[in-house]
Amino acid sequence: MDEERSEGVLRQRNRVRLLDALRHEGTASRSELARLTGLSRTTVGSLVSDLQARGIVIEHDDGERHTGRGRPPVYLSLDRSAGVAVGIDFDHDRVRVALADLSSNVVGEDDTEIDVDHSAANAIDAAVEMVGGLHATADVDEARVVGVGVGLPGPIDRLTGTVGSTFILPGWAGIKAQDVLAERLGARVQVDNDANLGALAEASFGAGRGLSDVVYVRLGSGVGAGLVLGGRLHHGAGGLAGEIGHVQVRPDGAVCRCGNRGCLETIAAEGALRALLRPARGHDVTRRELLSLVASGDLGSTRVVNDAGLAVGRVLADLCNAVNPEALIVGGELAEAGEPLLGGIREAIDRYALPGAARAVKVVHGELGERAELLGALALVTQSTDSLHAIDSETVVQFPDPAPGRTGCPAGGKEAVVAETS
Ligand SMILES: [Zn+2]
């Protein structure tokens, strides 16, 4: 490699280090950046000048941070136009998409109802169309997209980017969502399981912010969990870490969609709860009806949800012994059932986990609601170092002012868990 080229490579590497520090801190002065990156003040000054000239980094005063005497230092942060992240969340019956800047500020969001489970092609078409619509509405140059994060409601094979179990998501068998979406959207795509993305989002922006060991449990039409351990999303060897829904709790129980018998899902997923209520109610109870019955204090519905909490908590008690988390965050559609569900989980953990493990863990409701997985898909991109390498163009995007209600970083970028996601 000639000298000029190796100097260019080194400079790019240093620039990425600086961008990474800035993304993590949100705002920093030049001397703070020198300390954070280990680069000299002179190198930081020179790299910042480059990035300013390209509109990627901007200067501003930050009066709140300056408490000392004398002239306040000049602070730097990433310009909102530095790069765009795309998030797509395929839920069983809905597709959600969002655009965000690299500090995870959402600048556009859309969703539509569609049968995701049984038709991958229709779901992918809907997602691509909505992403195109968001680019147009937010006036974002598609060339500035640094990556796409995608959530799917099933275990994802980490090597191939395909759904790891065709029994769980039959309509997606053999489909390489990662490759198909990369081709359709012209950007680098990372696919992950929905519970993993919920875990990443809650640990970065929600109920687990600032904590390093967090378990996120997703209770809805399925039962799954995502683990953030040591501040990083834990996938396991094949991407199956956290699949608690298929822990066997009744050896002679009902046959599960995975082919085993008596899995936790067969007694604690939404379908099982609705089936339990059918004889008493005399008709098929919808999810909405189940949740409103619980909210109104209906005894049978409250019992069904509490029993599901006890069953889930029994399995989580063993998980608490195994990984000793600080928080257990409950999300997914059934989390709306609230205290009867969470109380059941807490009761089982207190009873079956080691006292130390039970004391260490707080069982809380997720803060991000139905958007958790979508925000996690965005975080896959905004927290990946690869997205910083993708910032290598002279053009910049102009975002419109955020629309009230739908936009804004859920918790700011400063406390985000930095997860190396690839
Ligand atoms: Zn199963």
Side-chain angles (χ1 to χ4, degrees):
M1 192 185 291
D2 61 46
E3 208 171 294
E4 202 173 301
R5 187 154 166 246
S6 68
E7 206 177 294
V9 170
L10 181 66
R11 201 170 169 76
Q12 196 205 6
R13 196 178 299 155
N14 287 340
R15 197 165 61 224
V16 167
R17 259 161 91 180
L18 193 143
L19 289 171
D20 195 25
L22 212 43
R23 174 182 58 175
H24 190 248
E25 293 301 303
T27 293
S29 67
R30 284 176 176 78
S31 52
E32 286 170 336
L33 285 173
R35 182 175 51 78
L36 289 163
T37 57
L39 299 168
S40 73
R41 287 286 299 268
T42 316
T43 305
V44 168
S46 161
L47 294 172
V48 166
S49 298
D50 279 4
L51 293 165
Q52 279 181 295
R54 291 168 55 192
I56 292 171
V57 164
I58 50 166
E59 277 187 353
H60 54 90
D61 294 326
D62 193 342
E64 282 178 22
R65 289 189 51 174
H66 182 63
T67 51
R69 288 161 182 243
R71 198 161 62 92
V74 174
Y75 287 100
L76 302 158
S77 46
L78 288 178
D79 191 87
R80 291 182 63 212
S81 63
V84 184
V86 174
I88 303 173
D89 172 38
F90 293 103
D91 200 350
H92 294 282
D93 52 7
R94 186 168 288 275
V95 180
R96 297 182 176 84
V97 299
L99 299 186
D101 65 21
L102 291 183
S103 299
S104 300
N105 293 299
V106 175
V107 297
E109 202 169 325
D110 198 3
D111 67 273
T112 188
E113 262 182 50
I114 193 162
D115 183 354
V116 168
D117 290 11
H118 294 98
S119 177
N122 288 350
I124 287 172
D125 284 347
V128 169
E129 191 180 319
M130 283 193 290
V131 169
L134 288 184
H135 282 312
T137 311
D139 198 17
V140 166
D141 181 352
E142 290 177 30
R144 301 301 295 165
V145 172
V146 296
V148 181
V150 177
L152 276 171
I156 305 299
D157 185 313
R158 297 281 291 159
L159 292 176
T160 62
T162 54
V163 174
S165 167
T166 52
F167 300 104
I168 288 177
L169 213 56
W172 291 72
I175 294 195
K176 293 193 173 183
Q178 194 164 304
D179 296 351
V180 173
L181 282 162
E183 199 187 323
R184 297 279 300 271
L185 295 169
R188 188 172 172 279
V189 174
Q190 296 177 81
V191 181
D192 212 326
N193 159 264
D194 57 353
N196 285 349
L197 295 185
L200 182 61
E202 289 287 355
S204 303
F205 318 118
R209 118 181 132 259
L211 305 179
S212 74
D213 297 298
V214 170
V215 173
Y216 172 78
V217 196
R218 196 175 191 292
L219 302 173
S221 50
V223 174
L227 314 178
V228 170
L229 302 177
R232 297 160 75 99
L233 198 53
H234 178 78
H235 291 96
L240 287 167
E243 285 294 331
I244 61 164
H246 303 280
V247 169
Q248 192 184 56
V249 293
R250 286 183 190 166
D252 56 351
V255 174
C256 178
R257 58 182 174 145
C258 75
N260 210 336
R261 281 187 79 156
C263 292
L264 180 60
E265 257 193 26
T266 64
I267 62 167
E270 182 191 312
L273 273 51
R274 287 163 49 188
L276 280 174
L277 288 172
R278 196 181 191 291
R281 309 297 305 179
H283 63 276
D284 281 328
V285 176
T286 64
R287 178 201 303 157
R288 196 47 36 221
E289 193 181 352
L290 165 67
L291 292 171
S292 74
L293 282 166
V294 174
S296 70
D298 174 69
L299 286 178
S301 309
T302 303
R303 166 164 295 235
V304 159
V305 164
N306 186 246
D307 285 349
L310 288 167
V312 171
R314 177 67 193 86
V315 171
L316 290 175
D318 291 347
L319 189 63
C320 284
N321 282 353
V323 303
N324 193 194
E326 298 162 274
L328 224 154
I329 301 169
V330 183
E333 296 79 9
L334 289 179
E336 267 184 58
E339 198 43 40
L341 181 72
L342 266 66
I345 294 175
R346 268 190 219 107
E347 190 182 329
I349 288 174
D350 285 343
R351 179 158 177 193
Y352 297 108
L354 281 168
R359 271 197 305 277
V361 71
K362 57 173 182 175
V363 178
V364 292
H365 202 279
E367 286 179 7
L368 306 174
E370 60 179 20
R371 290 172 80 224
E373 287 73 25
L374 180 61
L375 295 170
L378 288 170
L380 264 191
V381 179
T382 59
Q383 295 181 15
S384 143
T385 307
D386 290 326
S387 66
L388 298 176
H389 283 279
I391 304 174
D392 205 24
S393 162
E394 297 298 321
T395 50
V396 293
V397 211
Q398 297 301 324
F399 286 122
D401 289 334
R406 297 290 281 173
T407 60
C409 179
K414 290 184 184 178
E415 294 165 81
V417 176
V418 176
E420 201 70 57
T421 49
S422 62

